[in-house]
């Protein structure tokens, strides 16, 4: 059963590399990096189960934490980068309030 789990993790890793390489957007690549951290944790979990040691638990927790923080950092970077530009300073005409415009007349 552990060999099957390892084979599935390796297949997912290969598909993950394709997604990182082909993209098409930066968000796809960011999600792929987050999935890579999850696959590393899963791979270490399979290794821990096959060797029957609890030593790997702390390593798995650290990698999961780093994967989470990198996902949040990348998401914030993409959110700031994709934010629409703020409008320019309002002009005197737009702050004057309602009233007839020169085209409308008195």
């Amino acid at each position: 059963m552990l060999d099957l789990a390892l084979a599935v993790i390796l297949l997912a890793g290969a598909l993950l590399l394709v997604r990182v390489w082909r993209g098409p957007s930066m968000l796809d690549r960011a999600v792929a990096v987050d999935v890579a951290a999850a696959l590393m944790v899963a791979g270490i979990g399979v290794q821990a189960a096959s060797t029957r040691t609890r030593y790997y638990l702390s390593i798995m927790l650290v990698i999961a934490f780093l994967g989470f923080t990198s996902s949040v950092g990348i998401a914030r970077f993409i959110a700031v980068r994709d934010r629409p530009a703020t409008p320019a300073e309002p002009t005197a005409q737009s702050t004057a309030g309602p009233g007839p415009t020169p085209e409308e007349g008195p």
Side-chain angles (χ1 to χ4, degrees):
M1 190 60 120
L2 292 175
D3 292 334
L4 178 64
L6 186 61
V8 170
I9 291 170
L10 289 175
L11 176 65
L15 293 173
L16 177 79
L17 289 176
V18 170
R19 178 52 52 197
V20 169
W21 183 261
R22 294 184 65 193
S25 70
M26 182 63 123
L27 188 58
D28 290 330
R29 290 182 174 101
V31 170
V33 168
D34 186 37
V35 172
L39 286 177
M40 284 190 284
V41 170
I44 293 171
V46 169
Q47 173 69 21
S50 66
T51 60
R52 297 177 187 241
T53 59
R54 287 184 270 170
Y55 172 74
Y56 295 109
L57 180 61
S58 59
I59 296 170
M60 291 168 56
L61 288 172
V62 168
I63 292 175
F65 178 72
L66 289 174
F68 171 74
T69 54
S70 68
S71 298
V72 171
I74 291 170
R76 288 185 60 131
F77 172 73
I78 291 172
V80 167
R81 190 191 68 176
D82 292 344
R83 183 176 297 153
T86 57
E89 298 254 341
T91 59
Q93 184 180 9
S94 65
T95 58
T101 60
E103 293 86 22
E104 294 175 353

